[in-house]
Amino acid sequence: MVNALERFAPLPLQEDYDNAGLQVGLTEAEVSGALLCLDVTEEVIDEALEKGCNLVVSHHPLIFRPLRRVAGENQVQRCVIKALRHGVVIVSMHTNIDNAVGGVNYKIAEKMGLHNVELLAPKNVMDINGGSGVVGCLKQPMSAMDFVLMLKERFGVECVQANQLLQRDIRRVALCGGAGSFLLNDALAQNADAFVTGEMHYHEFFGYEQQIQICVIGHYQSEQFTNEIFKSIIEEQCAGVRCVLTATHTNPIIYL
């Protein structure tokens, strides 16, 4: 199963700061079920155990920075201990599936209803085609306000951060799930009317008034459908393996 995921999103596509792939456990174990999620928390591992799953597939790596010891001192350490104690394997597909053709950004584009979708910043790594972000077109032009309202509805967003509303219709949309502000200039170069991402810094909003509509919808919200990609890969490549989309909400940010 891990091989199937890595064929879809080869590990060489991950960024050099990342730690995608096997996180905890032995992959030789027979899979009793796969719990698919965005983040690994203690509650997610408990859910896997309750639902008879000995594999957790996440988008964000549980182990992102090196562990100097495992002593239950923080959430990451406690998750490692709990997973090992109960024989739960944890695998993460992070920037490799962000950068894969058909990966996270294509799923976001699908949820927006974009067509003619292509990579925003393509690259080739070890003869593997991939890249950061995507750009595509809406089926019908939209006013900036209608576009923002569409994002709120499709992604369950309580609050969209936006710059000054564009006074022309939005047709061409560039996007990047998660922290994608590094692609804003690529979006401009591709003549996008709007750029959608999960998070941006305050000062990055300045200077683009009436050039491009910036919409920031939240890191979790932008990537929440990644587990649907995992499900389709596993069901197509590993027939008979039970897949469960997590019911645990892991977004640590609340809106008051």
Side-chain angles (χ1 to χ4, degrees):
M1 180 182 299
V2 175
N3 289 338
L5 291 166
E6 292 183 2
R7 280 195 299 272
F8 182 91
L11 290 179
L13 286 179
Q14 71 178 310
E15 302 296 336
D16 56 11
Y17 60 79
D18 200 9
N19 187 40
L22 178 65
Q23 302 281 295
V24 178
L26 303 174
T27 57
E28 292 81 7
E30 183 176 347
V31 178
S32 62
L35 183 72
L36 314 176
C37 61
L38 193 65
D39 307 288
V40 181
T41 64
E42 293 173 84
E43 292 77 14
V44 166
I45 297 174
D46 288 337
E47 181 186 4
L49 295 171
E50 290 167 8
K51 294 179 176 176
C53 299
N54 64 351
L55 173 64
V56 171
V57 180
S58 72
H59 180 42
H60 296 139
L62 172 63
I63 303 172
F64 190 70
R65 297 178 180 84
L67 293 176
R68 294 185 181 275
R69 60 182 177 183
V70 179
E73 296 170 342
N74 56 42
Q75 176 174 271
V76 172
Q77 293 182 22
R78 289 192 295 272
C79 285
V80 170
I81 291 168
K82 180 172 285 192
L84 288 172
R85 180 175 292 156
H86 295 282
V88 174
V89 175
I90 299 173
V91 173
S92 300
M93 298 284 110
H94 192 212
T95 53
N96 54 321
I97 204 165
D98 285 331
N99 293 336
V101 174
V104 174
N105 294 310
Y106 285 81
K107 176 60 70 172
I108 298 168
E110 175 191 314
K111 296 296 181 179
M112 286 188 200
L114 301 185
H115 64 96
N116 296 333
V117 176
E118 57 188 9
L119 290 165
L120 179 58
K123 64 180 180 180
N124 183 284
V125 182
M126 297 173 58
D127 291 327
I128 304 167
N129 291 321
S132 302
V134 298
V135 61
C137 295
L138 293 166
K139 292 178 182 176
Q140 297 292 334
M142 269 185 200
S143 71
M145 180 55 75
D146 285 343
F147 182 73
V148 170
L149 293 174
M150 178 271 288
L151 293 176
K152 291 184 71 171
E153 186 272 324
R154 302 260 174 106
F155 295 89
V157 178
E158 297 173 74
C159 177
V160 173
Q161 292 182 308
N163 63 342
Q164 183 184 85
L165 290 180
L166 208 61
Q167 297 302 306
R168 66 175 190 270
D169 281 347
I170 292 172
R171 295 175 172 83
R172 189 163 168 81
V173 179
L175 66 92
C176 181
S181 61
F182 67 98
L183 289 170
L184 182 54
N185 287 328
D186 294 273
L188 286 165
Q190 288 286 337
N191 297 312
D193 301 302
F195 178 66
V196 181
T197 190
E199 58 181 272
M200 282 178 59
H201 293 297
Y202 171 78
H203 292 285
E204 293 172 320
F205 283 84
F206 282 98
Y208 299 98
E209 296 81 7
Q210 299 309 312
Q211 282 187 272
I212 192 167
Q213 184 65 64
I214 297 171
C215 295
V216 177
I217 63 175
H219 197 123
Y220 177 94
Q221 289 88 340
S222 70
E223 297 181 330
Q224 62 185 298
F225 302 110
T226 305
N227 54 16
E228 295 180 10
I229 306 173
F230 297 148
K231 187 172 188 289
S232 64
I233 295 168
I234 294 169
E235 288 181 343
E236 289 173 11
Q237 301 294 322
C238 308
V241 173
R242 183 170 58 93
C243 292
V244 181
L245 300 181
T246 182
T248 303
H249 185 80
T250 58
N251 188 2
I253 299 169
I254 62 173
Y255 298 85
L256 301 175

